[in-house]
Amino acid sequence: MRKNIVAGNWKMNKNVIDAQQLMFQLLEYKKNNATNCDVYIAPPSLYLMMAKDLYENNEIGVFAQDMSEHESGAYTGEISADMLKSIEADGAIIGHSERRQYHGETDSHCNRKVKLALDKDLTPIYCNGETLEQRKSGQHFEIVKNQTEVALFTLSAEEIKKVVIAYEPVWAIGTGETATPEQAQEIHAHIRSLIANKYGQEVADEISILYGGSVKPDNAKEIFSQPDIDGGLIGGAALKIDDFAKIIEGFNS
Ligand code: PGA
């Protein structure tokens, strides 16, 4: 059975004191509340080791927000899969739309990163999703199809089963404008059927597909109740413990 996951992408927010405080609050919350989903955080890379030290029993998954497509060497500013593995990080977000928009990342980069992460036994959270113009012109199914194929379809069935996919329509990220549960569900079902056509239904049914884009405490439950939505990748609302906790509780009946 595929996992339900709520993952917090902290982006470039919080100084070390505030980051540590939120990590502690989340640990306390996890200890005191039964959750019906796995909980991950992706803090700035500077704080990954702190998170790993704090979550010594792996209560909360710890993910980088990106990783290099290269193994090692002269790549100033980059973080390698081996480095992440050496601090026992659980994985990395790959291909977030902000990496695509501000750092020119393409699905070919994502393909190499996803493959490298898997080779190093890290879980990639691969992000895709269309822009507003692409949705307005009715291209969203085609765009997401291309993204999924280029980034993931060189993987073996065993490999793709270990990937988490996050569908994040660019127009919904940080804008307060969420895809309706129906709009999200139809793209999630589309992604799952693409995988089923290529790898078989059994493989497709094992892959967690998260929705991201203005998930908030008041819409999480409805979004998560859709059959092909297995959780969320949360930006702004992951920065406050009360909001993030309420989103996690979107999986409570
Ligand atoms: P948001 O960000 O929840 O602030 O819209 C989501 C994301 O970028 O992963």
Side-chain angles (χ1 to χ4, degrees):
M1 256 318 269
R2 58 185 184 254
K3 285 181 190 166
N4 291 328
I5 299 165
V6 172
N9 173 11
W10 293 10
K11 309 191 180 183
M12 198 174 72
N13 290 294
K14 297 198 179 288
N15 65 26
V16 68
I17 305 290
D18 296 342
Q20 192 176 37
Q21 185 188 31
L22 182 55
M23 285 176 196
F24 265 116
Q25 288 171 327
L26 197 52
L27 183 60
E28 283 304 300
Y29 174 80
K30 255 306 229 158
K31 281 184 181 161
N32 295 321
N33 296 275
T35 55
N36 291 325
C37 59
D38 286 4
V39 178
Y40 302 163
I41 58 166
S45 52
L46 198 57
Y47 311 143
L48 287 169
M49 278 181 82
M50 187 167 78
K52 280 311 298 184
D53 285 346
L54 187 60
Y55 304 146
E56 55 188 0
N57 298 316
N58 299 319
E59 298 92 340
I60 292 161
V62 176
F63 284 68
Q65 295 176 11
D66 180 39
M67 58 163 248
S68 176
E69 67 182 281
H70 303 289
E71 289 254 0
S72 67
Y75 300 101
T76 301
E78 295 271 71
I79 291 175
S80 74
D82 278 332
M83 291 173 194
L84 293 175
K85 199 62 203 168
S86 72
I87 64 156
E88 295 175 20
D90 297 281
I93 297 173
I94 288 173
H96 189 279
S97 66
E98 288 149 17
R99 300 290 317 169
R100 295 172 188 260
Q101 192 178 348
Y102 306 126
H103 302 273
E105 286 195 18
T106 64
D107 280 299
S108 306
H109 294 118
C110 294
N111 175 253
R112 292 192 288 275
K113 291 184 181 196
V114 166
K115 179 79 178 107
L116 186 56
L118 292 168
D119 287 348
K120 304 291 180 179
D121 201 23
L122 293 163
T123 299
I125 301 178
Y126 164 69
C127 303
N128 61 14
E130 80 285 356
T131 63
L132 186 59
E133 296 69 46
Q134 289 164 340
R135 175 157 286 260
K136 278 186 175 158
S137 59
Q139 289 173 279
H140 41 296
F141 286 99
E142 198 54 31
I143 292 290
V144 170
K145 176 172 185 276
N146 284 339
Q147 291 173 331
T148 307
E149 287 176 353
V150 174
L152 302 183
F153 281 11
T154 59
L155 302 175
S156 69
E158 279 316 302
E159 286 172 333
I160 200 169
K161 276 188 200 170
K162 296 179 190 154
V163 176
V164 174
I165 298 173
Y167 167 62
E168 300 204 305
V170 179
W171 48 273
I173 295 177
T175 58
E177 191 174 336
T178 328
T180 64
E182 295 72 26
Q183 282 174 324
Q185 164 58 27
E186 69 177 359
I187 299 281
H188 282 233
H190 173 59
I191 294 171
R192 205 178 301 285
S193 78
L194 292 168
I195 297 168
N197 288 340
K198 167 92 177 160
Y199 294 96
Q201 193 63 47
E202 216 179 299
V203 172
D205 285 342
E206 280 199 40
I207 296 177
S208 298
I209 309 179
L210 315 183
Y211 168 78
S214 298
V215 178
K216 304 285 179 226
D218 60 358
N219 60 22
K221 197 183 181 89
E222 203 187 349
I223 293 170
F224 297 165
S225 69
Q226 300 296 314
D228 287 291
I229 300 182
D230 308 307
L233 183 56
I234 320 299
L239 298 173
K240 289 200 193 114
I241 186 63
D242 290 349
D243 288 352
F244 196 52
K246 283 189 196 118
I247 291 171
I248 292 168
E249 286 158 18
F251 275 113
N252 296 356
S253 49

